[in-house]
Amino acid sequence: MPEFRLYNSMSRSVEPFAPADGETVRMYACGPTVYNPAHLGNFRTFLFSDLLRRALRLAGFKVQQVMNLTDVDDKIIKRATEQKKSVREVTEPVIGMFNVDRDYLRIEPAEHYPRATDFIVEMVDLVRRLEQKGIAYQADDKSVYFAIDKFPGYGRLSRLDTRELKAGARVAQDDYAKENAQDFALWKAATPDDEACGAAWDSPWGRGRPGWHLECSAMAMSLLGDTIDIHTGGIDLQFPHHEDEIAQSEAATGKPFARFWCHGAFLLTDGSKMAKRVGNVATVQDLRAQNVSAAAVRHLMFSTHYRKQLNLSGAALEASMEAVRRVGDFAERLASATGGTPKLAELAETFRGEFDEALRDDLNAPRAQAALFVFINHANAELDKRGSDAAGLAAARDAFARADGVLDIVPEQEGVDAGLAAWVDQQLAARKAARGRRDFAAADQIRKSLEEKGIVVEDTPQGARWKKVR
Ligand code: AMP
Ligand code: ZN
């Protein structure tokens, strides 16, 4: 089998990848912090792991993926306190929204979605192991910290030599400034606010709650083992989050925590990072309200390599909507064709090779998508010949289905319910009648009212055909 190559943030280079056991890729993706609906920036990162898992399967591997749900952290507690709710009351509906949005974007479900609050026992256990090794210590504030100077490997992932190391200087927040490396909180002593919103548990160090970094280490190792194959996340998680995950896990087990670290670049809007605190977020709900299909969002996200920044703009979205319309037309055409040409089999073979090679080359989705459009162009020209070669058609269908199994960019015929279809048929009959009596103004008027509802009419020798485009 040709090798699969992937950029590893740890070595700063593209390396050949295969799962440690040769068969199943154990993959952990940092999931959403569920206090607000995830925005499209978050979903860019989640679509990157969706692409990765599908490409790995295409390459012949099995995949076991865990994506955690961070359902207790500083931001959630702040929100719960403001709204006088429990953390569960804050996170439960947001998890529901996340699932709906994820399904809408056709992101394949991971094998596990552990919630941090369901793994408190495992987290406490991990802190205890670190304490026994003399790497964790309880400070005067009753919180337990990780002593970074006791772990010689600290800073390898984020090349800490460029940052200041402040061993013994403690930081209690989950999401602290990215300049200094400090002893970080593993277990945080409970405050009255934590108690009030149900974010405090018993532990050997008194009532408290886990730090955010600890959550991921404990869940990853509990569900996937001490050494996982691939750990993913957005580039902003590299430091401190992933650095701290490595420190906690490796200090406890003495084994490498993740073999590959893969980070996705940011989604920007108007040149700056899409982020809740910047206030420039767009959500999946916003796109749905504008009738942007999941296929178009996926096409857009895959049109830029995952390690390059991607700017979200109306023009880019429009272009992707147009592109997937062509993919949809081609899918319909393949489905309804009754035969092809032998040349189609050749085109399919070339396409298959180019597509697979692009994805094996550090997940080069833009190149894979470009190969698809070249194939669509050439195959359309062959289908125009209305040949009768069954094998050619079958090969084209197969190559297309395989590629779409990874990209998943055929748009749905959305919003066409029976009522709308009946109305369109009625309008088309009225238009035909108007034309029959040479009342072209009336016929045009009907076409316009159809277009306002997103219905495009095409006159063919067999009569008028229509489709809903948005
Ligand atoms: P959070 O819900 O903040 O924990 O983030 C969930 C995931 O989204 C993490 O992997 C982040 O790195 C990622 N993320 C956050 N903002 C962006 C963005 N603008 N573009 C791409 N990924 C992002
Ligand atoms: Zn994480």
Side-chain angles (χ1 to χ4, degrees):
M1 208 194 294
E3 65 183 19
F4 194 94
R5 299 177 303 280
L6 207 49
Y7 183 84
N8 188 348
S9 301
M10 186 61 93
S11 66
R12 299 285 196 281
S13 63
V14 176
E15 298 176 35
F17 171 82
D21 72 2
E23 189 175 82
T24 304
V25 181
R26 287 175 174 67
M27 191 164 130
Y28 184 91
C30 288
T33 305
V34 285
Y35 74 109
N36 245 354
H39 57 68
L40 290 176
N42 304 135
F43 276 110
R44 181 183 187 201
T45 295
F46 303 147
L47 278 164
F48 150 57
S49 43
D50 182 53
L51 179 71
L52 178 57
R53 63 176 274 143
R54 293 188 195 220
L56 287 166
R57 274 216 315 269
L58 189 78
F61 301 122
K62 292 184 196 150
V63 174
Q64 269 289 320
Q65 186 191 358
V66 173
M67 177 178 280
N68 70 295
L69 302 169
T70 301
D71 67 348
V72 56
D73 94 322
D74 296 351
K75 286 181 276 195
I76 296 169
I77 290 168
K78 186 160 172 271
R79 178 64 46 95
T81 307
E82 283 162 6
Q83 300 184 345
K84 301 198 179 353
K85 286 181 177 167
S86 68
V87 285
R88 275 268 149 149
E89 284 166 340
V90 169
T91 58
E92 204 66 52
V94 180
I95 292 173
M97 284 184 260
F98 172 69
N99 291 334
V100 169
D101 290 349
R102 182 173 53 68
D103 276 348
Y104 182 73
L105 293 180
R106 307 176 180 178
I107 295 174
E108 279 189 358
E111 281 62 31
H112 299 277
Y113 286 100
R115 298 180 188 198
T117 54
D118 290 334
F119 283 78
I120 302 293
V121 171
E122 289 79 356
M123 293 169 196
V124 167
D125 189 56
L126 185 53
V127 179
R128 201 186 279 128
R129 285 165 76 185
L130 291 169
E131 192 183 38
Q132 278 160 5
K133 294 191 169 189
I135 296 164
Y137 63 94
Q138 187 165 29
D140 294 343
D141 65 1
K142 299 286 177 242
S143 293
V144 182
Y145 292 86
F146 185 98
I148 54 176
D149 61 342
K150 299 269 173 61
F151 179 67
Y154 194 84
R156 267 205 313 142
L157 177 67
S158 55
R159 305 279 150 108
L160 201 66
D161 34 328
T162 60
R163 293 199 172 85
E164 212 181 325
L165 208 126
K166 291 190 177 174
R170 284 162 214 145
V171 61
Q173 310 97 281
D174 287 327
D175 196 10
Y176 58 90
K178 313 227 178 274
E179 281 70 45
N180 300 322
Q182 302 179 325
D183 288 359
F184 56 92
L186 296 161
W187 185 259
K188 303 177 179 205
T191 66
D193 279 351
D194 296 350
E195 291 286 1
C197 66
W201 290 265
D202 289 327
S203 83
W205 315 279
R207 300 277 292 167
R209 63 178 172 100
W212 172 40
H213 316 307
L214 183 77
E215 297 180 2
C216 283
S217 286
M219 289 185 277
M221 292 198 292
S222 301
L223 293 164
L224 295 170
D226 289 349
T227 300
I228 62 183
D229 289 306
I230 303 179
H231 196 312
T232 67
I235 190 71
D236 56 334
L237 299 190
Q238 204 170 70
F239 181 85
H241 186 55
H242 290 164
E243 198 68 72
D244 292 351
E245 280 189 44
I246 293 171
Q248 300 160 150
S249 308
E250 300 193 355
T253 66
K255 296 179 207 157
F257 175 47
R259 299 172 53 236
F260 275 69
W261 286 90
C262 299
H263 294 103
F266 286 148
L267 179 72
L268 314 177
T269 12
D270 303 323
S272 45
K273 180 197 172 193
M274 183 177 284
K276 287 161 199 166
R277 58 179 156 260
V278 182
N280 61 349
V281 299
T283 62
V284 174
Q285 289 304 324
D286 296 337
L287 293 185
R288 289 181 78 164
Q290 296 165 49
N291 283 317
V292 178
S293 67
V297 180
R298 296 178 67 92
H299 176 274
L300 176 66
M301 300 288 189
F302 299 156
S303 62
T304 294
H305 189 258
Y306 75 91
R307 287 195 285 119
K308 292 210 175 92
Q309 294 189 338
L310 165 61
N311 200 39
L312 181 71
S313 69
L317 260 180
E318 286 286 336
S320 286
M321 287 162 77
E322 182 52 39
V324 299
R325 214 167 282 154
R326 281 174 59 209
V327 178
D329 287 347
F330 181 68
E332 271 175 37
R333 203 165 175 204
L334 274 184
S336 61
T338 50
T341 58
K343 179 86 192 292
L344 271 178
E346 260 173 60
L347 292 173
E349 185 62 28
T350 306
F351 166 50
R352 237 178 122 107
E354 286 172 359
F355 186 85
D356 285 27
E357 172 48 30
L359 289 179
R360 277 197 304 265
D361 184 12
D362 190 26
L363 225 53
N364 197 328
R367 218 169 76 210
Q369 269 186 175
L372 171 64
F373 283 94
V374 168
F375 173 63
I376 289 177
N377 279 343
H378 292 165
N380 267 329
E382 287 306 304
L383 289 169
D384 285 343
K385 295 177 184 161
R386 298 181 187 283
S388 57
D389 186 63
L393 179 61
R397 282 180 176 157
D398 187 60
F400 178 73
R402 235 175 128 260
D404 198 54
V406 177
L407 301 173
D408 214 344
I409 54 170
V410 174
E412 268 173 30
Q413 278 280 11
E414 271 165 286
V416 183
D417 55 65
L420 178 66
W423 177 80
V424 173
D425 287 342
Q426 202 184 7
Q427 295 298 304
L428 288 177
R431 176 165 165 270
K432 196 174 167 195
R435 284 178 152 194
R437 50 174 202 273
R438 305 187 69 76
D439 185 352
F440 296 113
D444 265 1
Q445 196 51 47
I446 292 170
R447 181 193 273 270
K448 281 210 187 82
S449 65
L450 285 162
E451 277 174 1
E452 274 161 20
K453 289 210 156 43
I455 307 295
V456 168
V457 182
E458 195 187 334
D459 289 304
T460 73
Q462 291 80 37
R465 278 174 46 190
W466 64 274
K467 67 182 172 192
K468 180 149 169 71
V469 291
R470 284 204 214 164

